[in-house]
Amino acid sequence: MLKQTPLNAVHRAAGARMVDFGGWDMPVNYGSQIEEHHAVRNDAGMFDVSHMRVVDLAGAGGRDFLRYALANNVDKLQVPGKALYSCLLAEDGGVIDDLIVYFLREDFFRIVVNAGTADKDIARFRALIAARAPQLTLTPRTDLAMIAVQGPNARAKLWQALPGSEPASAALKPFMGADIGDTFVARTGYTGEDGFEVMLPAARAAALWNALAAAGVRPCGLGARDTLRLEAGMNLYGQDMDEAVGPLESGLAWTVDLASPRDFAGKAALLGRAPARRLAGLLLVDKGGVLRAHQLVHTAQGDGEITSGTFSPTLNQSIALARLPAGVAVGDTVRVAVRDRELKARVVKPPFARNGKVQVA
Amino acid sequence: MNVPQALKYTASHEWVKSEPDGTLTVGITDHAQQALGDLVYIELPDVGRVVAAAEACAVVESVKAASDIYAPVGGEVTAVNADLPSTPELVNQDAYASWLFKLKPADPGAVGKLLDAAAYTAAIGDA
């Protein structure tokens, strides 16, 4: 039996094409994935991301705990409401998950983790809490739904759909969130566009979704979410990284501060390991197919593999993230095995597209 | 689901139309285009190529996945729809108008063995 979000019936009534996404019954599109993609780049679209898990960490010493538990440094969070992207690492440096942590008060942090990894993340946090900070309580918020409203017009349309939300959220800078009553609104997302992620009681999710639709926000499925995040150069857990690789091989060195004296879970393993491979962007130069995950990439320095590939609606060209030998440089031409032929692709630095514009030449 | 009565079908989701001159026009079904999602790449066989029944002879790729297209019967490719490589979305817009290729069948009777609309409808679980 697939798990359902509070918006399941709304998706079905809208004619969504539903798929099994890691045990969740989720919309992949509502007709055309490409039109949904363009709606987000050019106007406003919304995604049901209620399958993602909100986990609240309460109690004294939460910052000290997270300073060790997370690979990125929560001391970057000094203003209440500020958010940070981080990996949760295993002791061997493998990536258990990537997540967003919000600093709300010194005794209250909110963490948003991936759906498929939520259970193992919570088990990992609980083990670390038991060992280091037993005074903390970790509360999975299965009572909350989450809607991402994304696109250049997303904020204005949310203010229209959620009366009273504008005063508290208009001043939010990117990567900042604020409580509005029992609703949490954050200027975050997974598309490379402006917008909000809204966490609210599950019982009110359908009403907000319908109000957003009435305000002209286009319902978008997980298909468009994937092409948008890939254009934006954002990793997908389980595809671009997992427990078998570390953040340094996954384009996430910027989230790991190895130079500071701060100790964190997995740090020792990272220090002992110079990455032989790195994540890079690929732009398909030849015609003849679409770049896809697991295709082999031949380079002058040896072989690599595509971790995520798709057709980019914004570039009208195929793009990919690929794990390549460390010596491969931006601008190099590589050959990708696409079905029965080898196609030329150029190594580029992601993102491919953000804020409605192509970012690579 | 749109499954026109006048056409024949394969279990691999091709539709086949018998033309008055004895050739067969081949495309992918509405069910197939819906399952694939937005098409972004189509590769068609060379005209003159001789294909066996069930031989992979074209490729359609959507944003989501690549899929081989199989010859419904053996024969020679006599024409391809040259509009499709530059505008693959035409197949999403009308799968039965947007044919992929035409075949001159080696055995004119072979088309009779393909699925009819009722059998194909049953095969896709939409009866």
mmCIF file with all atom_site columns, all heavy atoms in Angstrom, chain A residues 316-329:
data_model
loop_
_atom_site.group_PDB
_atom_site.id
_atom_site.type_symbol
_atom_site.label_atom_id
_atom_site.label_alt_id
_atom_site.label_comp_id
_atom_site.label_asym_id
_atom_site.label_entity_id
_atom_site.label_seq_id
_atom_site.pdbx_PDB_ins_code
_atom_site.Cartn_x
_atom_site.Cartn_y
_atom_site.Cartn_z
_atom_site.occupancy
_atom_site.B_iso_or_equiv
_atom_site.pdbx_formal_charge
_atom_site.auth_seq_id
_atom_site.auth_comp_id
_atom_site.auth_asym_id
_atom_site.auth_atom_id
_atom_site.pdbx_PDB_model_num
ATOM 1  N N   . ASN A 1 316 ? 16.925 23.489 -24.174 1.00 0.00 ? 316 ASN A N   1
ATOM 2  C CA  . ASN A 1 316 ? 16.505 22.722 -25.341 1.00 0.00 ? 316 ASN A CA  1
ATOM 3  C C   . ASN A 1 316 ? 17.634 21.794 -25.794 1.00 0.00 ? 316 ASN A C   1
ATOM 4  O O   . ASN A 1 316 ? 17.933 21.668 -26.982 1.00 0.00 ? 316 ASN A O   1
ATOM 5  C CB  . ASN A 1 316 ? 16.084 23.668 -26.464 1.00 0.00 ? 316 ASN A CB  1
ATOM 6  C CG  . ASN A 1 316 ? 15.157 22.984 -27.444 1.00 0.00 ? 316 ASN A CG  1
ATOM 7  O OD1 . ASN A 1 316 ? 14.413 22.086 -27.064 1.00 0.00 ? 316 ASN A OD1 1
ATOM 8  N ND2 . ASN A 1 316 ? 15.215 23.376 -28.703 1.00 0.00 ? 316 ASN A ND2 1
ATOM 9  N N   . GLN A 1 317 ? 18.250 21.136 -24.838 1.00 0.00 ? 317 GLN A N   1
ATOM 10 C CA  . GLN A 1 317 ? 19.469 20.367 -25.071 1.00 0.00 ? 317 GLN A CA  1
ATOM 11 C C   . GLN A 1 317 ? 19.578 19.401 -23.883 1.00 0.00 ? 317 GLN A C   1
ATOM 12 O O   . GLN A 1 317 ? 19.054 19.691 -22.806 1.00 0.00 ? 317 GLN A O   1
ATOM 13 C CB  . GLN A 1 317 ? 20.615 21.376 -25.050 1.00 0.00 ? 317 GLN A CB  1
ATOM 14 C CG  . GLN A 1 317 ? 21.968 20.888 -25.435 1.00 0.00 ? 317 GLN A CG  1
ATOM 15 C CD  . GLN A 1 317 ? 22.947 22.073 -25.559 1.00 0.00 ? 317 GLN A CD  1
ATOM 16 O OE1 . GLN A 1 317 ? 22.583 23.213 -25.280 1.00 0.00 ? 317 GLN A OE1 1
ATOM 17 N NE2 . GLN A 1 317 ? 24.157 21.798 -25.962 1.00 0.00 ? 317 GLN A NE2 1
ATOM 18 N N   . SER A 1 318 ? 20.304 18.319 -24.074 1.00 0.00 ? 318 SER A N   1
ATOM 19 C CA  . SER A 1 318 ? 20.425 17.375 -22.972 1.00 0.00 ? 318 SER A CA  1
ATOM 20 C C   . SER A 1 318 ? 21.552 17.777 -22.031 1.00 0.00 ? 318 SER A C   1
ATOM 21 O O   . SER A 1 318 ? 22.609 18.229 -22.468 1.00 0.00 ? 318 SER A O   1
ATOM 22 C CB  . SER A 1 318 ? 20.675 15.970 -23.515 1.00 0.00 ? 318 SER A CB  1
ATOM 23 O OG  . SER A 1 318 ? 20.651 15.043 -22.455 1.00 0.00 ? 318 SER A OG  1
ATOM 24 N N   . ILE A 1 319 ? 21.338 17.607 -20.729 1.00 0.00 ? 319 ILE A N   1
ATOM 25 C CA  . ILE A 1 319 ? 22.319 17.977 -19.698 1.00 0.00 ? 319 ILE A CA  1
ATOM 26 C C   . ILE A 1 319 ? 22.439 16.832 -18.700 1.00 0.00 ? 319 ILE A C   1
ATOM 27 O O   . ILE A 1 319 ? 21.574 15.960 -18.620 1.00 0.00 ? 319 ILE A O   1
ATOM 28 C CB  . ILE A 1 319 ? 21.905 19.266 -18.944 1.00 0.00 ? 319 ILE A CB  1
ATOM 29 C CG1 . ILE A 1 319 ? 20.556 19.072 -18.219 1.00 0.00 ? 319 ILE A CG1 1
ATOM 30 C CG2 . ILE A 1 319 ? 21.848 20.452 -19.894 1.00 0.00 ? 319 ILE A CG2 1
ATOM 31 C CD1 . ILE A 1 319 ? 20.171 20.215 -17.287 1.00 0.00 ? 319 ILE A CD1 1
ATOM 32 N N   . ALA A 1 320 ? 23.528 16.864 -17.943 1.00 0.00 ? 320 ALA A N   1
ATOM 33 C CA  . ALA A 1 320 ? 23.726 15.799 -16.956 1.00 0.00 ? 320 ALA A CA  1
ATOM 34 C C   . ALA A 1 320 ? 24.657 16.253 -15.858 1.00 0.00 ? 320 ALA A C   1
ATOM 35 O O   . ALA A 1 320 ? 25.428 17.205 -16.026 1.00 0.00 ? 320 ALA A O   1
ATOM 36 C CB  . ALA A 1 320 ? 24.313 14.554 -17.632 1.00 0.00 ? 320 ALA A CB  1
ATOM 37 N N   . LEU A 1 321 ? 24.581 15.557 -14.740 1.00 0.00 ? 321 LEU A N   1
ATOM 38 C CA  . LEU A 1 321 ? 25.649 15.575 -13.741 1.00 0.00 ? 321 LEU A CA  1
ATOM 39 C C   . LEU A 1 321 ? 26.367 14.239 -13.887 1.00 0.00 ? 321 LEU A C   1
ATOM 40 O O   . LEU A 1 321 ? 25.723 13.206 -14.082 1.00 0.00 ? 321 LEU A O   1
ATOM 41 C CB  . LEU A 1 321 ? 25.093 15.726 -12.322 1.00 0.00 ? 321 LEU A CB  1
ATOM 42 C CG  . LEU A 1 321 ? 24.419 17.061 -11.989 1.00 0.00 ? 321 LEU A CG  1
ATOM 43 C CD1 . LEU A 1 321 ? 23.831 17.019 -10.581 1.00 0.00 ? 321 LEU A CD1 1
ATOM 44 C CD2 . LEU A 1 321 ? 25.423 18.215 -12.104 1.00 0.00 ? 321 LEU A CD2 1
ATOM 45 N N   . ALA A 1 322 ? 27.689 14.266 -13.795 1.00 0.00 ? 322 ALA A N   1
ATOM 46 C CA  . ALA A 1 322 ? 28.458 13.040 -13.975 1.00 0.00 ? 322 ALA A CA  1
ATOM 47 C C   . ALA A 1 322 ? 29.613 13.015 -12.982 1.00 0.00 ? 322 ALA A C   1
ATOM 48 O O   . ALA A 1 322 ? 30.186 14.054 -12.663 1.00 0.00 ? 322 ALA A O   1
ATOM 49 C CB  . ALA A 1 322 ? 29.003 12.951 -15.395 1.00 0.00 ? 322 ALA A CB  1
ATOM 50 N N   . ARG A 1 323 ? 29.908 11.822 -12.494 1.00 0.00 ? 323 ARG A N   1
ATOM 51 C CA  . ARG A 1 323 ? 31.067 11.670 -11.608 1.00 0.00 ? 323 ARG A CA  1
ATOM 52 C C   . ARG A 1 323 ? 32.243 11.253 -12.483 1.00 0.00 ? 323 ARG A C   1
ATOM 53 O O   . ARG A 1 323 ? 32.238 10.182 -13.079 1.00 0.00 ? 323 ARG A O   1
ATOM 54 C CB  . ARG A 1 323 ? 30.770 10.653 -10.503 1.00 0.00 ? 323 ARG A CB  1
ATOM 55 C CG  . ARG A 1 323 ? 31.816 10.637 -9.425  1.00 0.00 ? 323 ARG A CG  1
ATOM 56 C CD  . ARG A 1 323 ? 31.355 9.919  -8.153  1.00 0.00 ? 323 ARG A CD  1
ATOM 57 N NE  . ARG A 1 323 ? 30.500 10.768 -7.336  1.00 0.00 ? 323 ARG A NE  1
ATOM 58 C CZ  . ARG A 1 323 ? 29.212 10.553 -7.106  1.00 0.00 ? 323 ARG A CZ  1
ATOM 59 N NH1 . ARG A 1 323 ? 28.613 9.517  -7.613  1.00 0.00 ? 323 ARG A NH1 1
ATOM 60 N NH2 . ARG A 1 323 ? 28.532 11.380 -6.347  1.00 0.00 ? 323 ARG A NH2 1
ATOM 61 N N   . LEU A 1 324 ? 33.255 12.159 -12.594 1.00 0.00 ? 324 LEU A N   1
ATOM 62 C CA  . LEU A 1 324 ? 34.345 12.002 -13.552 1.00 0.00 ? 324 LEU A CA  1
ATOM 63 C C   . LEU A 1 324 ? 35.685 11.982 -12.826 1.00 0.00 ? 324 LEU A C   1
ATOM 64 O O   . LEU A 1 324 ? 35.796 12.499 -11.711 1.00 0.00 ? 324 LEU A O   1
ATOM 65 C CB  . LEU A 1 324 ? 34.329 13.177 -14.541 1.00 0.00 ? 324 LEU A CB  1
ATOM 66 C CG  . LEU A 1 324 ? 33.027 13.397 -15.324 1.00 0.00 ? 324 LEU A CG  1
ATOM 67 C CD1 . LEU A 1 324 ? 33.163 14.622 -16.219 1.00 0.00 ? 324 LEU A CD1 1
ATOM 68 C CD2 . LEU A 1 324 ? 32.674 12.160 -16.147 1.00 0.00 ? 324 LEU A CD2 1
ATOM 69 N N   . PRO A 1 325 ? 36.724 11.419 -13.460 1.00 0.00 ? 325 PRO A N   1
ATOM 70 C CA  . PRO A 1 325 ? 38.055 11.463 -12.850 1.00 0.00 ? 325 PRO A CA  1
ATOM 71 C C   . PRO A 1 325 ? 38.433 12.905 -12.487 1.00 0.00 ? 325 PRO A C   1
ATOM 72 O O   . PRO A 1 325 ? 38.113 13.848 -13.234 1.00 0.00 ? 325 PRO A O   1
ATOM 73 C CB  . PRO A 1 325 ? 38.958 10.903 -13.958 1.00 0.00 ? 325 PRO A CB  1
ATOM 74 C CG  . PRO A 1 325 ? 38.062 10.008 -14.747 1.00 0.00 ? 325 PRO A CG  1
ATOM 75 C CD  . PRO A 1 325 ? 36.714 10.671 -14.726 1.00 0.00 ? 325 PRO A CD  1
ATOM 76 N N   . ALA A 1 326 ? 39.128 13.064 -11.357 1.00 0.00 ? 326 ALA A N   1
ATOM 77 C CA  . ALA A 1 326 ? 39.381 14.402 -10.818 1.00 0.00 ? 326 ALA A CA  1
ATOM 78 C C   . ALA A 1 326 ? 40.140 15.308 -11.784 1.00 0.00 ? 326 ALA A C   1
ATOM 79 O O   . ALA A 1 326 ? 40.011 16.523 -11.719 1.00 0.00 ? 326 ALA A O   1
ATOM 80 C CB  . ALA A 1 326 ? 40.128 14.281 -9.499  1.00 0.00 ? 326 ALA A CB  1
ATOM 81 N N   . GLY A 1 327 ? 40.923 14.745 -12.715 1.00 0.00 ? 327 GLY A N   1
ATOM 82 C CA  . GLY A 1 327 ? 41.708 15.577 -13.623 1.00 0.00 ? 327 GLY A CA  1
ATOM 83 C C   . GLY A 1 327 ? 40.929 16.201 -14.765 1.00 0.00 ? 327 GLY A C   1
ATOM 84 O O   . GLY A 1 327 ? 41.436 17.069 -15.468 1.00 0.00 ? 327 GLY A O   1
ATOM 85 N N   . VAL A 1 328 ? 39.709 15.799 -14.958 1.00 0.00 ? 328 VAL A N   1
ATOM 86 C CA  . VAL A 1 328 ? 38.905 16.346 -16.056 1.00 0.00 ? 328 VAL A CA  1
ATOM 87 C C   . VAL A 1 328 ? 38.558 17.802 -15.727 1.00 0.00 ? 328 VAL A C   1
ATOM 88 O O   . VAL A 1 328 ? 38.158 18.109 -14.596 1.00 0.00 ? 328 VAL A O   1
ATOM 89 C CB  . VAL A 1 328 ? 37.624 15.515 -16.262 1.00 0.00 ? 328 VAL A CB  1
ATOM 90 C CG1 . VAL A 1 328 ? 36.744 16.140 -17.332 1.00 0.00 ? 328 VAL A CG1 1
ATOM 91 C CG2 . VAL A 1 328 ? 37.973 14.075 -16.623 1.00 0.00 ? 328 VAL A CG2 1
ATOM 92 N N   . ALA A 1 329 ? 38.717 18.686 -16.718 1.00 0.00 ? 329 ALA A N   1
ATOM 93 C CA  . ALA A 1 329 ? 38.515 20.116 -16.466 1.00 0.00 ? 329 ALA A CA  1
ATOM 94 C C   . ALA A 1 329 ? 37.297 20.644 -17.216 1.00 0.00 ? 329 ALA A C   1
ATOM 95 O O   . ALA A 1 329 ? 36.892 20.091 -18.241 1.00 0.00 ? 329 ALA A O   1
ATOM 96 C CB  . ALA A 1 329 ? 39.755 20.890 -16.906 1.00 0.00 ? 329 ALA A CB  1
#
